[in-house]
Amino acid sequence: MPWNLLKYGLAPKYPARRDIPAPRDLKKSYDVIIIGAGGHGLSTAYHLARYHAINNVAVLDKGYVGGGNTARNTAVIRSNYISPEAVAFYKASVEMFKNLSNELGYNQMYSQRGQLTLAHSDASVRTFALRAEVNKHLGVRSEIVDRQQIREIVPCLNMDENMRFPIQAGLWHRDGSTARHDAVAWGYAMRAAQMGVEIHQHTEVTGIQVNAGRVVAVQTDRGTVKCNHAVQAVAGMSSVVAKMAGIRLPVRSFPLQAMVTHPVKPFLDPLVSSSDLHAYISQTARGEIVIGGGSDPYELYSTRSTLDLKESLVANTLELFPCIAELKLLRQWAGITDMTPDYSPVMGTSPVKNYWLDAGWGTWGFKATPISGKCMAETLANEKAVELIQPFRLERFKTFTLSNEAGATAASH
């Protein structure tokens, strides 16, 4: 083994495979152009090629594969939402995540660990009870747990009754999980490319050409490309890209920050969150402590991190876990969240014919990656939004048939 490694290291040409083909020129036209090479865009491309035999597809991104919010989230997967349509949608996604490593032949490092959301008030307890009943009705494993059960689930959690916000109860979601976010993006990218999908990194979309109410081409910094369909899956830049097609989305973009400590021995298996303290915490397979919270209070298209939010997150996290006070922060980052008024996504048709929307994911886009790609691919193939995403159509903001998920955030926004 050491000899083989030495030969590999000294070889003039490395035999390692190339997951994504080398860059090539853009063709003059494609059946489908997908704007955004994050998890959702790549998942859509994969499902189009594999399940609908549509592989004349170009995925365009001004950055690199999985370099946007896909690389800037905290990799939490769950389905314990509050509205029936959201529970059904995310339940389907969780089920797909469970088999994703086999589906793609690429280790996703999927780990089912359970999620505990803490209630610090009577109002939170009542909301959790409602969520638990909706979840159970739709086959999602969620239940209310008392203080003693919380101690058993997370022995290191601060349960002092004299703390600032004493813990009254919790919502225990057994299907809460994590997966490796970059593996998700690269797995979809690799398999889609093998089936003929072209992935063009460092290709910025500069305009959308619309003729007679229908998308006909996409303008890029490498030229204009014709298309029969176009899909936008650009997370925090959703309203900016949609504006190029003349569409005004009910989306506001906010930075969302997170950070990790240096690695320590495993002590925290479940995912723990508190909306009252605006914080959530988990431990990675490498031993790092991941800390996140609510979005910044102001709109901004920036991925910078700030000292004030870091101090707030640290203070609230230490109230729950005083035992990690001596750990040092390893790194800090931010993503750009595309928030809608009802905290639910915008999926499916748009005012421009054959221009499809995958937007408004806020803080839970990663956990929807498999099912969003499947639904968007089927929607494009049939030119009609599938039933599972009908509640998330853009028109709901005109008819006031909203899908309110503001009460189901892991950390309040």
Side-chain angles (χ1 to χ4, degrees):
M1 184 62 153
W3 176 242
N4 288 335
L5 287 174
L6 182 62
K7 287 196 299 182
Y8 180 86
L10 297 176
K13 292 184 179 180
Y14 290 101
R17 72 186 184 195
R18 190 180 185 103
D19 291 337
I20 300 176
R24 65 180 73 176
D25 292 336
L26 287 165
K27 294 192 297 188
K28 293 183 178 180
S29 67
Y30 295 90
D31 291 334
V32 180
I33 290 180
I34 299 173
I35 307 169
H40 286 220
L42 294 167
S43 176
T44 300
Y46 166 81
H47 283 90
L48 280 171
R50 177 163 184 181
Y51 295 103
H52 302 282
I54 301 174
N55 57 10
N56 185 23
V57 177
V59 182
L60 313 179
D61 199 290
K62 68 177 181 180
Y64 53 91
V65 166
N69 279 8
T70 300
R72 296 173 180 275
N73 67 85
T74 49
V76 175
I77 301 166
R78 63 186 179 95
S79 55
N80 59 339
Y81 287 80
I82 195 167
S83 65
E85 56 270 21
V87 174
F89 181 80
Y90 288 100
K91 177 189 175 186
S93 198
V94 169
E95 292 303 316
M96 292 180 70
F97 261 115
K98 291 178 180 179
N99 190 51
L100 196 56
S101 294
N102 294 328
E103 169 87 11
L104 300 177
Y106 201 103
N107 187 8
Q108 304 297 303
M109 298 179 69
Y110 177 81
S111 175
Q112 184 173 303
R113 307 161 62 181
Q115 184 199 37
L116 177 65
T117 309
L118 302 173
H120 302 267
S121 65
D122 292 340
S124 293
V125 174
R126 288 193 295 270
T127 301
F128 286 4
L130 173 61
R131 285 172 62 181
E133 291 306 312
V134 172
N135 287 187
K136 291 175 185 177
H137 180 69
L138 294 171
V140 171
R141 298 187 298 172
S142 296
E143 61 181 316
I144 294 289
V145 291
D146 59 24
R147 286 173 56 85
Q148 180 55 39
Q149 290 171 303
I150 291 174
R151 288 191 180 94
E152 296 171 359
I153 295 170
V154 189
C156 54
L157 185 64
N158 180 16
M159 298 295 292
D160 190 343
E161 294 185 0
N162 295 316
M163 64 188 293
R164 182 164 56 115
F165 296 108
I167 298 170
Q168 296 188 17
L171 180 67
W172 175 235
H173 176 45
R174 295 182 183 274
D175 296 320
S177 314
T178 58
R180 183 73 183 181
H181 45 73
D182 51 356
V184 173
W186 277 87
Y188 278 126
M190 178 180 66
R191 296 307 177 203
Q194 289 174 351
M195 292 181 285
V197 172
E198 295 183 14
I199 300 172
H200 294 274
Q201 304 176 77
H202 306 292
T203 303
E204 183 175 1
V205 171
T206 57
I208 309 293
Q209 288 189 4
V210 179
N211 186 11
R214 181 190 183 99
V215 64
V216 294
V218 173
Q219 298 170 339
T220 78
D221 55 2
R222 295 170 57 195
T224 299
V225 187
K226 295 180 180 178
C227 62
N228 295 326
H229 297 267
V231 184
Q232 72 161 66
V234 293
M237 304 303 292
S238 292
S239 56
V240 175
V241 174
K243 189 176 181 180
M244 296 179 187
I247 302 169
R248 184 182 179 186
L249 290 181
V251 167
R252 301 170 67 189
S253 294
F254 299 84
L256 179 68
Q257 301 183 43
M259 54 194 176
V260 298
T261 70
H262 71 266
V264 293
K265 290 183 178 180
F267 73 93
L268 182 64
D269 189 46
L271 315 166
V272 179
S273 66
S274 167
S275 56
D276 289 273
L277 291 175
H278 304 278
Y280 60 90
I281 179 173
S282 63
Q283 187 170 21
T284 71
R286 293 184 297 189
E288 300 164 328
I289 306 302
V290 181
I291 301 170
S295 302
D296 284 10
Y298 44 82
E299 294 180 68
L300 190 66
Y301 293 99
S302 173
T303 55
R304 65 177 176 83
S305 55
T306 59
L307 177 62
D308 58 340
L309 195 79
K310 178 168 64 175
E311 290 177 333
S312 174
L313 283 176
V314 168
N316 291 335
T317 301
L318 290 181
E319 189 159 354
L320 296 174
F321 294 93
C323 58
I324 66 172
E326 298 301 317
L327 298 187
K328 298 183 183 300
L329 289 180
L330 185 64
R331 62 186 181 276
Q332 184 185 7
W333 68 91
I336 307 174
T337 60
D338 43 333
M339 306 297 298
T340 61
D342 62 357
Y343 286 65
S344 289
V346 176
M347 298 185 73
T349 58
S350 77
V352 176
K353 187 171 177 58
N354 285 3
Y355 188 85
W356 308 92
L357 300 172
D358 184 315
W361 291 99
T363 63
W364 36 71
F366 173 71
K367 58 184 65 66
T369 300
I371 192 62
S372 68
K374 178 182 178 181
C375 289
M376 290 304 295
E378 187 176 345
T379 293
L380 263 72
N382 298 326
E383 298 192 21
K384 180 181 178 182
V386 298
E387 183 178 354
L388 196 59
I389 66 171
Q390 284 287 349
F392 308 135
R393 61 192 182 276
L394 178 60
E395 290 78 10
R396 74 180 187 270
F397 295 103
K398 290 184 178 180
T399 60
F400 296 100
T401 52
L402 304 183
S403 177
N404 188 0
E405 281 298 330
T409 55
S412 183
H413 297 89

